[in-house]
Amino acid sequence: MEELETPRLEHGEVLIMNKAFGICGSDIEIYQGHRVVRTPLVMGHEATGVVVDVEKSVSSLSIGDHVVIEPNFFCGKCPHCRVGRTNLCSNKIVLGVNYDGAFAEYVKVPEMYAWKLPTNLDFVKATLIEPLSVVVHALKDLSVMPGDNVLIIGGGPIGALAAQLLREISANVVIQEALPTRRAILEKMGLQVVGTSDEEEKKINDLFNGKGADLAIDAAGNRTTVIQALKMVKPGGTLVIVGLTETKAELPVHQVVRREINIRGSIIYTGEFAKAIELMRKKADLFSKVITHIFSLSHFKEALEIAVERKCLKAVIKNY
């Protein structure tokens, strides 16, 4: 860690003292050098805190407000933004990727990207609002019904949050996760979990009564998981790909066509932040089970290493 100057506010910005922030898979990619970003850079984007200063033009926030940061800033002018698909903004600024982020004592953001927190929601639990927004967007317009079979490949935070949300509508959810440590955590959360061996894969068929998955979600993001998810989807079913990967996967196009599989990619969110805040307000105790490790700021490096080694589900730094 090193000393940084407190950010200076520009027009329409607020200064936030970070109180808690989560460590995301994208942070790990940057930390390990697998994702090219500008340097120097302060990482981190899943953050909550207290407003400690506001630029004079700011009208919706005041000093002392508790907020969660929406970390993707869109331009509002490009073709994607003009039709409401702000997640595809051509000029997007991303906190902790191409703009100094939240792994620091202070961060500044435009006023519209600091959302007031419900009074019953603490800073640590509220760090899940950003990843929960990703899940809400991924499930948008899918019309999942009670009893539908849903396979989630990848039992990380996104997969676990998706499973919890889908179980709230009584879907029959199965998570496939390769790591035994994560499987144990997910099982303690009361979720149906299987491994990746051939024998374990047969369990999926049994849990779905031989009918296949109405919906499969690839939350792992590699060439094998996409193919596995596609294999398990029933004819007329849907595959949503949320996990990010730079690897190429050869899809059996004939299966997609003959079985009329709907395939959809999903990236961050477009207007789902407010819904995620409301979900956390109502179900904070449920969703916060995803947070398995909480560290003080002085133990940040230890938290990062545990996240890198995937010994946790979600690690959060608490700075209060």
Side-chain angles (χ1 to χ4, degrees), residues 266-303:
S266 183
I267 187 73
I268 55 173
Y269 32 78
T270 55
E272 286 84 14
F273 224 77
K275 184 173 181 179
I277 291 173
E278 181 62 11
L279 283 168
M280 282 299 298
R281 185 187 69 80
K282 293 179 178 178
K283 300 284 184 178
D285 290 340
L286 172 68
F287 293 121
S288 62
K289 292 177 182 178
V290 170
I291 300 172
T292 53
H293 292 68
I294 300 173
F295 295 86
S296 65
L297 186 59
S298 61
H299 289 86
F300 173 70
K301 189 171 182 180
E302 180 186 350

Side-chain angles (χ1 to χ4, degrees), residues 154-220:
I158 296 297
L161 287 169
Q164 289 173 314
L165 188 55
L166 287 162
R167 278 181 36 145
E168 285 295 290
I169 57 173
S170 300
N172 180 29
V173 183
V174 176
I175 299 179
Q176 187 174 38
E177 169 56 45
L179 294 176
T181 50
R182 280 193 168 172
R183 288 202 300 271
I185 293 169
L186 294 165
E187 285 170 353
K188 285 182 180 179
M189 292 167 60
L191 299 170
Q192 295 187 109
V193 190
V194 299
T196 54
S197 68
D198 291 343
E199 186 175 332
E200 288 285 292
E201 286 183 8
K202 290 177 183 177
K203 290 182 182 179
I204 299 173
N205 192 52
D206 293 338
L207 290 167
F208 290 163
N209 295 317
K211 296 179 180 179
D214 297 280
L215 168 66
I217 300 171
D218 178 13

Side-chain angles (χ1 to χ4, degrees), residues 91-128:
N91 308 299
K92 186 165 66 240
I93 294 173
V94 184
L95 199 72
V97 176
N98 55 8
Y99 183 95
D100 278 340
F103 288 176
E105 188 175 7
Y106 297 99
V107 64
K108 67 171 186 173
V109 300
E111 173 184 12
M112 68 180 291
Y113 296 103
W115 293 74
K116 288 184 183 179
L117 286 176
T119 54
N120 71 322
L121 197 54
D122 68 46
F123 292 118
V124 170
K125 292 177 181 178
T127 60
L128 291 175

Side-chain angles (χ1 to χ4, degrees), residues 43-282:
M43 298 188 303
H45 61 275
E46 297 177 357
T48 60
V50 178
V51 176
V52 293
D53 196 9
V54 298
E55 192 272 331
K56 63 181 181 181
S57 67
V58 171
S59 60
S60 65
L61 293 168
S62 303
I63 292 173
D65 284 342
H66 291 192
V67 295
V68 58
I69 297 171
E70 181 180 351
N72 295 279
F73 312 156
F74 56 87
C75 72
K77 300 176 182 178
C78 71
H80 297 302
C81 285
R82 289 201 299 268
V83 295
R85 303 190 71 177
T86 53
N87 58 332
L88 303 179
C89 175
S90 305
N91 308 299
K92 186 165 66 240
I93 294 173
V94 184
L95 199 72
V97 176
N98 55 8
Y99 183 95
D100 278 340
F103 288 176
E105 188 175 7
Y106 297 99
V107 64
K108 67 171 186 173
V109 300
E111 173 184 12
M112 68 180 291
Y113 296 103
W115 293 74
K116 288 184 183 179
L117 286 176
T119 54
N120 71 322
L121 197 54
D122 68 46
F123 292 118
V124 170
K125 292 177 181 178
T127 60
L128 291 175
I129 289 170
E130 197 278 338
L132 185 58
S133 299
V134 173
V135 171
V136 173
H137 180 72
L139 299 177
K140 184 179 180 181
D141 301 327
L142 289 180
S143 301
V144 179
M145 303 296 290
D148 278 358
N149 293 326
V150 181
L151 173 65
I152 299 173
I153 298 184
I158 296 297
L161 287 169
Q164 289 173 314
L165 188 55
L166 287 162
R167 278 181 36 145
E168 285 295 290
I169 57 173
S170 300
N172 180 29
V173 183
V174 176
I175 299 179
Q176 187 174 38
E177 169 56 45
L179 294 176
T181 50
R182 280 193 168 172
R183 288 202 300 271
I185 293 169
L186 294 165
E187 285 170 353
K188 285 182 180 179
M189 292 167 60
L191 299 170
Q192 295 187 109
V193 190
V194 299
T196 54
S197 68
D198 291 343
E199 186 175 332
E200 288 285 292
E201 286 183 8
K202 290 177 183 177
K203 290 182 182 179
I204 299 173
N205 192 52
D206 293 338
L207 290 167
F208 290 163
N209 295 317
K211 296 179 180 179
D214 297 280
L215 168 66
I217 300 171
D218 178 13
N222 63 61
R223 67 179 69 192
T224 58
T225 55
V226 172
I227 301 302
Q228 167 65 4
L230 185 62
K231 182 174 71 174
M232 299 303 298
V233 176
K234 74 176 189 181
T238 299
L239 166 60
V240 177
I241 304 171
V242 184
L244 282 171
T245 178
E246 298 300 324
T247 60
K248 295 180 180 180
E250 294 184 6
L251 292 180
V253 178
H254 64 286
Q255 288 190 33
V256 176
V257 175
R258 289 185 178 277
R259 292 162 54 210
E260 204 165 79
I261 305 299
N262 302 298
I263 300 179
R264 189 175 90 180
S266 183
I267 187 73
I268 55 173
Y269 32 78
T270 55
E272 286 84 14
F273 224 77
K275 184 173 181 179
I277 291 173
E278 181 62 11
L279 283 168
M280 282 299 298
R281 185 187 69 80
K282 293 179 178 178

